[in-house]
Amino acid sequence: MPAPSTVLLTGAAGGLGTLMQNLLPAFGYELRLLDLRPIEGDPDAVTVDLADKDAVREAVRGVDAIIHLAGISLEAPFEKILQANIVGTYNLYEAAREEGITRIVFASSNHAVGFTPRPQGDDPLIPVDTPRRPDTFYGLSKSFGEDLAQFYWDKHGIETVSVRIGSCFPEPTSVRMLSVWMSPADGARLFHAALTAEGVGHTVVHGSSANTRLWWDLTSARALGYEPQDDSEPWAEKLIAEQGELDPDNEAHAYLGGHFVTDPPIWPY
């Protein structure tokens, strides 16, 4: 499909949102930035709590597509996850339906399938249709988001690409991340492909670079036209020297979700 001209970027003040603010305009997008907090340097950015249904509808009015990154991105009490990630995502989809927006890119997470055993040795890559096994309330909310996206496609014809993001940082910071890392440049390439591919319905893809130590299958992402160009391997020697190889007898190393399955980091707000 033709590239949407105006894209609402929710969670624009977060780590991933800040990276995409700088990278997506090169693909020709005009971004409307949205966050719970004011965004420094952009007086036109929209400050909205996604729990405010009327404000969300106003925020989406007039855009061609949405990249939904907003919400709590670590573990938190269920009540907080419920409002930020579940009710907020529902409000966004309802606003899209009411305003006739038919393409959403939803930031899902590897933590929707975090209790999936990681591949070892000659094990095959984790397929995108592996059963969901969330490792936290956070991961559970991402499972809900994927189901919500499927429902809004089946019921209302809103197309979504749900991207199970591994870790998107300028460089990998752990041995585990060598297998699920997505460079910011590849992240922008994947979001662009998700916005422009034809006939996606509801498609789930794994979001990472073409890492030498890759754990999961990128076939459905490549089918959108995504061509990852980066690899975490240049950082492997240094990280392994500092941290050691992954230990299959360590529960935090045995699963896709890493330490989220044993000692998840807690949302500080």
Side-chain angles (χ1 to χ4, degrees):
M1 63 181 287
S5 58
T6 304
V7 175
L8 178 69
L9 181 68
T10 76
L16 181 55
T18 300
L19 292 168
M20 292 305 112
Q21 280 187 51
N22 297 321
L23 291 167
L24 286 171
F27 292 90
Y29 301 113
E30 178 182 345
L31 298 180
R32 179 183 298 174
L33 307 182
L34 180 153
D35 204 279
L36 182 62
R37 299 169 288 168
I39 297 173
E40 186 176 349
D42 189 342
D44 297 323
V46 182
T47 303
V48 164
D49 185 339
L50 293 182
D52 185 339
K53 192 171 184 179
D54 292 337
V56 173
R57 182 169 181 182
E58 182 65 28
V60 309
R61 186 168 293 135
V63 303
D64 302 307
I66 299 168
I67 298 177
H68 181 37
L69 309 180
I72 292 172
S73 58
L74 302 172
E75 182 62 315
F78 180 74
E79 292 75 15
K80 288 187 176 182
I81 294 284
L82 175 64
Q83 291 303 313
N85 292 17
I86 294 177
V87 174
T89 301
Y90 163 74
N91 286 344
L92 189 73
Y93 269 84
E94 266 298 280
R97 180 188 65 80
E98 292 168 339
E99 294 297 323
I101 297 162
T102 58
R103 179 64 59 96
I104 296 175
V105 180
F106 170 60
S108 186
S109 171
N110 69 96
H111 298 294
V113 289
F115 268 109
T116 302
R118 68 171 176 88
Q120 299 183 45
D122 294 328
D123 291 349
L125 296 176
I126 296 169
V128 78
D129 62 353
T130 192
R132 286 203 298 264
R133 298 178 65 176
D135 53 28
T136 45
F137 290 134
Y138 164 65
L140 186 66
S141 75
K142 295 303 182 178
S143 295
F144 170 83
E146 291 184 13
D147 280 341
L148 189 75
Q150 184 67 54
F151 173 73
Y152 271 79
W153 163 241
D154 290 334
K155 185 76 171 179
H156 302 298
I158 295 176
E159 293 193 292
T160 297
V161 177
S162 292
V163 183
R164 287 182 185 160
I165 297 169
S167 301
C168 189
F169 298 101
E171 62 182 64
T173 59
S174 70
V175 174
R176 171 186 172 273
M177 205 181 293
L178 294 170
S179 299
V180 296
W181 177 69
M182 181 167 65
S183 72
D186 277 343
R189 293 181 188 105
L190 180 51
F191 289 144
H192 173 61
L195 287 169
T196 56
E198 297 281 355
V200 300
H202 175 228
T203 297
V204 179
V205 304
H206 290 143
S208 67
S209 292
N211 302 315
T212 298
R213 300 164 190 264
L214 192 67
W215 284 349
W216 53 14
D217 187 8
L218 297 181
T219 299
S220 63
R222 291 181 183 276
L224 301 177
Y226 172 54
E227 291 295 339
Q229 297 181 22
D230 297 318
D231 186 343
S232 63
E233 199 61 18
W235 289 274
E237 183 177 359
K238 175 177 180 291
L239 287 170
I240 292 170
E242 293 172 349
Q243 301 174 16
E245 294 278 7
L246 295 180
D247 178 2
D249 294 325
N250 182 333
E251 191 176 15
H253 295 175
Y255 294 100
L256 178 61
H259 66 287
F260 272 63
V261 308
T262 55
D263 185 25
I266 303 301
W267 187 248
Y269 303 109

